[in-house]
Amino acid sequence: MSARQFVNDPDEFVSQALEGLQLAHPHLVQVSTDPALVVRVAKDGEPPKVALVSGGGSGHEPLHTGFVGPGMLDAAVPGAVFASPTAYQVRAGIKAADRGRGVLLIVKNYTGDVLNFSIAAELAREEDIEVEIVLVDDDLATDGGDEGGPGRRGTAAVVAVEKICGAAAERGASLAELAELGRRVVSNSRTMALALQACTHPGQQRPSFDLADDEVEFGVGIHGERGIGQRPFGPASELVPALAKPIIDALGLARGDSVIAIVNGLGSTHALELSVVHRELSAFLDGIGVRIERALVGSYVTALDMRGCSITLVRCDSTLLELWNAPVRTPALAW
Amino acid sequence: MTTLTTEHARAWADRFVAVGAERDTELTELDRKAGDGDYGTNLRSALRRAAVNLSAGPASPHEVFLAVSEAFLNTGGTSGPLFGMWFREFAKAAKEKDVTAAVLGEAATNAVAVVQRLGKAEVGHKTMVDAMVPAAEALTAAAARGAGVSDALAEAASAAHAGAASTEKLLAKRGRASYVGEHARGVIDPGALTVAYFFDAAAPPRN
């Protein structure tokens, strides 16, 4: 069976989605299409703050465009589906967001994103805009690669970085403080994901890989690529500990530790399923004495219409927790 | 000729745009064998933008190089922005200055340093750097001998071609080709070949 999607023209997929975002959230975001940017609507009388800019390939929505607004990003720079925005596009995002106190770039660790955001940072610095980069590399499935290789991919921990740094920026933190804070969140976050079914690119007829009915793909990323291996399909009570265990080991979590848990759908996983995943995660962490202080359960960092989920744990102290709990008002995250 | 005129710079850039379009299929085929096959698409899109920028009539060698640089920095992928930063050093070096062979040598030396810093590639990694480094060395050596711009650029073209040819036997350490390992051995790196075509374009085609 072919995969059917709500698409008019695959070439216009991202730009038409951005038009929809603008129409849905005129009070929060200002969308421009050439270059493609989503910028927070500035309110009169707001004191200048350090601006937060993120972005990357499209297809991961609501990341990053849905996280523009008070308490999170000042601008998001969307590329084509699964392709980095260009260096000039990122530079335009930096200039649109800058309020004179510097710009923090939050970049998921992919070769194209790192290169284009780094170039944009250099170009902006030449125009006397202070820029710092926080690199997010939380995906455990890509841990332990070659020396000098691309390293771990960036996935759902980017939500925690954007939320926590966003809250600190609203309170007047400096660029250097925000960069340090963002790196602290990254170093305390790890993620593992599994897919029940691959995603289908807009306009394509077939999913990006095939899976047998009795297996799941373990360690997938967010670009429809295969993971690190297949495992037998089973009840959530078996699949969830298999995701959580390596994260606990990698972070060295022990009895008495506190975490923020992000149970994330990869695109077409039902909210009821994600709640079951969270139930199993809670039981598993409870069993080893790790306390979930706050949980975010829903589809926030997606791989188009992939069926599957990721689990991210962020080891937290009272500072990180307090910033996570601070108010936020964006199209996709608000409390 | 001891300095690069605006007319020469413009003719050079125009020929590069034309050669890139002519060689598109060859470069895409190399990338299909050794990468993910999108090199030609990205190059074509960058060169189309370059042609538009150049049609605005840049008034100095600086503006010619800038027109090409900005086109590449507006292009996706990883080779596009690296080329954008490479051309940008030529634009910077040519700003409010007579462009001698020495200036070109200095520009090419700075340019490859920027590409190596951003792309983290060394000579021998089977990337564009394998043509950029010998071209910069040839320009600098020619300038030291007192060669004119045209002679220095011709020597840079030969050196870049030799550098590009050397990538054929290499196993990739950086860039897309590093993902396909042995499959890329026996394939010239399309980025390195593009550098050679760029320096070729400095001289009118021989009949």
Side-chain angles (χ1 to χ4, degrees):
Chain A
M1 192 184 80
S2 68
R4 299 193 294 177
Q5 294 163 332
F6 293 107
V7 178
N8 295 317
D9 172 355
D11 290 339
E12 300 289 327
F13 190 51
V14 172
S15 60
Q16 292 188 351
L18 289 173
E19 286 175 32
L21 181 76
Q22 175 69 86
L23 290 164
H25 301 283
H27 306 297
L28 286 176
V29 299
Q30 178 66 51
V31 172
S32 60
T33 48
D34 189 24
L37 292 179
V38 178
V39 181
R40 171 177 164 179
V41 171
K43 297 275 187 296
D44 291 340
E46 282 178 335
K49 60 183 265 301
V50 175
L52 267 61
V53 176
S54 190
S58 293
H60 308 304
E61 286 66 22
L63 189 79
H64 298 271
T65 53
F67 297 141
V68 175
M72 241 168 142
L73 298 178
D74 297 277
V77 191
V81 170
F82 295 168
S84 168
T86 70
Y88 264 25
Q89 194 185 341
V90 178
R91 183 179 69 167
I94 292 171
K95 290 169 80 164
D98 178 43
R99 293 286 172 273
R101 290 206 54 202
V103 178
L104 185 73
L105 298 181
I106 299 169
V107 185
K108 302 192 299 304
N109 187 28
Y110 298 99
T111 308
D113 287 340
V114 171
L115 182 64
N116 285 294
F117 278 81
S118 300
I119 290 174
E122 289 196 10
L123 299 177
R125 286 183 193 120
E126 286 181 15
E127 296 182 53
D128 293 325
I129 300 175
E130 268 191 280
V131 183
E132 284 280 344
I133 295 180
V134 170
L135 198 64
V136 181
D137 61 346
D138 53 310
D139 178 30
L140 266 183
T142 41
D143 209 355
D146 295 346
E147 183 84 12
R152 286 188 304 266
R153 296 176 293 216
T155 57
V158 74
V159 178
V161 177
E162 291 176 6
K163 173 66 193 76
I164 288 169
C165 289
E170 298 290 344
R171 295 173 183 189
S174 71
L175 179 59
E177 287 165 346
L178 289 173
E180 193 196 336
L181 179 65
R183 287 171 196 138
R184 183 150 77 89
V185 175
V186 172
S187 68
N188 282 293
S189 304
R190 290 293 181 272
T191 298
M192 272 301 272
L194 69 77
L196 307 177
Q197 193 181 346
C199 63
T200 305
H201 284 246
Q204 303 276 310
Q205 298 297 313
R206 304 270 316 149
S208 56
F209 60 83
D210 291 315
L211 266 178
D213 286 346
D214 60 351
E215 59 186 20
V216 303
E217 185 76 17
F218 201 75
V220 291
I222 51 174
H223 296 92
E225 68 274 53
R226 279 204 171 269
I228 51 177
Q230 292 82 48
R231 291 188 175 208
F233 178 63
S237 59
E238 288 171 15
L239 295 174
V240 171
L243 282 178
K245 182 72 170 57
I247 305 172
I248 288 155
D249 293 345
L251 289 175
L253 291 173
R255 188 166 292 277
D257 281 342
S258 291
V259 296
I260 296 163
I262 302 175
V263 172
N264 175 58
L266 290 174
S268 41
T269 312
H270 200 275
L272 277 176
E273 293 177 86
L274 294 176
S275 286
V276 172
V277 171
H278 186 62
R279 174 185 185 270
E280 298 308 326
L281 178 66
S282 299
F284 185 70
L285 292 186
D286 201 40
I288 58 170
V290 171
R291 182 179 161 81
I292 299 178
E293 296 285 353
R294 280 292 183 279
L296 183 65
V297 181
S299 294
Y300 294 98
V301 181
T302 61
L304 290 172
D305 59 354
M306 179 173 268
R307 274 184 57 71
C309 73
S310 66
I311 291 174
T312 303
L313 298 180
V314 185
R315 186 208 321 264
C316 66
D317 54 19
S318 58
T319 309
L320 295 189
L321 191 62
E322 213 265 320
L323 290 166
W324 174 268
N325 286 337
V328 59
R329 185 161 174 257
T330 68
L333 206 63
W335 57 65
Chain B
M1 193 166 52
T2 54
T3 64
L4 182 72
T5 63
T6 303
E7 293 69 34
H8 186 179
R10 174 68 195 271
W12 177 3
D14 286 344
R15 277 192 292 264
F16 177 53
V17 169
V19 165
E22 278 164 31
R23 299 288 185 158
D24 181 41
T25 314
E26 174 196 13
L27 293 167
T28 301
E29 185 59 16
L30 291 173
D31 187 46
R32 202 182 56 74
K33 286 180 183 154
D36 57 4
D38 68 349
Y39 184 87
T41 315
N42 286 331
L43 182 67
R44 201 162 46 236
S45 136
L47 293 176
R48 252 200 317 266
R49 283 196 185 82
V52 171
N53 293 351
L54 288 166
S55 69
S60 64
H62 162 71
E63 289 184 11
V64 171
F65 287 126
L66 203 60
V68 178
S69 166
E70 296 195 334
F72 276 85
L73 285 171
N74 262 318
T75 307
T78 49
S79 56
L82 288 173
F83 274 122
M85 293 301 274
W86 188 65
F87 289 120
R88 198 161 180 276
E89 289 301 318
F90 287 85
K92 276 161 97 170
K95 195 166 186 185
E96 290 156 20
K97 205 172 354 178
D98 284 341
V99 183
T100 60
V103 168
L104 285 172
E106 198 187 348
T109 305
N110 293 339
V112 73
V114 169
V115 170
Q116 289 193 268
R117 178 167 51 77
L118 290 165
K120 301 182 177 65
E122 300 295 328
V123 170
H125 282 177
K126 198 181 180 88
T127 69
M128 58 177 74
V129 167
D130 289 340
M132 288 173 172
V133 166
E137 288 169 356
L139 281 171
T140 306
R145 263 197 351 260
V149 161
S150 294
D151 288 345
L153 285 169
E155 288 173 36
S158 301
H161 271 289
S166 77
T167 64
E168 187 170 4
K169 62 180 190 306
L170 293 171
L171 193 63
K173 293 277 174 51
R174 278 285 179 279
R176 277 287 182 173
S178 63
Y179 298 148
V180 298
E182 284 292 339
H183 290 290
R185 218 193 276 276
V187 182
I188 292 178
D189 179 69
L193 198 54
T194 303
V195 173
Y197 290 151
F198 172 68
F199 285 110
D200 279 345
R206 277 163 292 190
N207 291 317

